[in-house]
Amino acid sequence: MAIISIPDENRTIADERAIADYLGALGIDYEKWQPAHDVAPGAPAEEILAAYSREIETLKRRGGYVTADVIDVNPLTPGLEAMLAKFNREHWHDEDEVRFIVEGRGLFHIHPPAGPVFAIEVEAGDLIRVPRGTHHWFDLCADRRIRAIRLFQDASGWTPHYTNSGVDRGFQPLCFGPQYVP
Ligand SMILES: [Fe+2]
């Protein structure tokens, strides 16, 4: 289950409907899906894309996305810190950032044009679409694990443009999960 935290308002939102409403008011789509296909840890991207092909086709039809790939990292992934350093500073893209989380978790910070910066922690089953031009940044959580399907309208548009605002430095990448069910 995703969770939103709004540090400036000392507030969190953990209800699925309330999360979708809060994000929807900012033009960000959020949905919870429950598809779970068995894909071994370390499986190649093609295997993950094949396992989730039905969901990917549904999303492509809906959103006009033409290509999909997989981001699959764990603490042992070579070059992980350099990869993360590209996205943990405030930036925007010329196309939507669409992620369907298959495993693990991650933390988006969103900086709306009006209103406070907030964080949304996403985990398996979460589908999020951050529209083009939205100022945001991304961190992994302490477990450094995420496997997500990325969808593109045009992969060439997905280069980060940095704002260099320094706003990101005022926020700790704090995650809530993983939570244990006794
Ligand atoms: Fe981004």
Side-chain angles (χ1 to χ4, degrees), residues 31-64:
E31 289 174 33
K32 186 82 186 167
W33 286 23
Q34 292 298 347
H37 303 290
D38 235 357
V39 186
E46 305 79 64
E47 204 177 312
I48 298 164
L49 292 172
Y52 285 87
S53 59
R54 206 160 18 116
E55 288 81 8
I56 290 169
E57 286 314 311
T58 302
L59 289 169
K60 280 184 177 174
R61 275 199 304 275
R62 263 179 26 183

Side-chain angles (χ1 to χ4, degrees), residues 114-147:
V117 170
F118 65 92
I120 174 162
E121 182 177 331
V122 289
E123 64 169 26
D126 288 327
L127 171 68
I128 187 167
R129 184 188 67 89
V130 180
R132 66 185 69 186
T134 304
H135 290 190
H136 67 280
W137 63 96
F138 179 82
D139 291 281
L140 286 183
C141 299
D143 57 0
R144 290 266 191 278
R145 174 76 179 115
I146 196 165
R147 182 184 258 181

Side-chain angles (χ1 to χ4, degrees), residues 86-93 95-97 99 108 130 134-138 158-161:
K86 282 174 70 177
F87 300 113
N88 68 5
R89 288 179 288 140
E90 189 179 56
H91 64 274
W92 82 93
H93 307 280
E95 79 159 71
D96 298 351
E97 183 157 334
R99 299 289 179 269
F108 285 94
V130 180
T134 304
H135 290 190
H136 67 280
W137 63 96
F138 179 82
W158 203 73
T159 304
H161 303 296

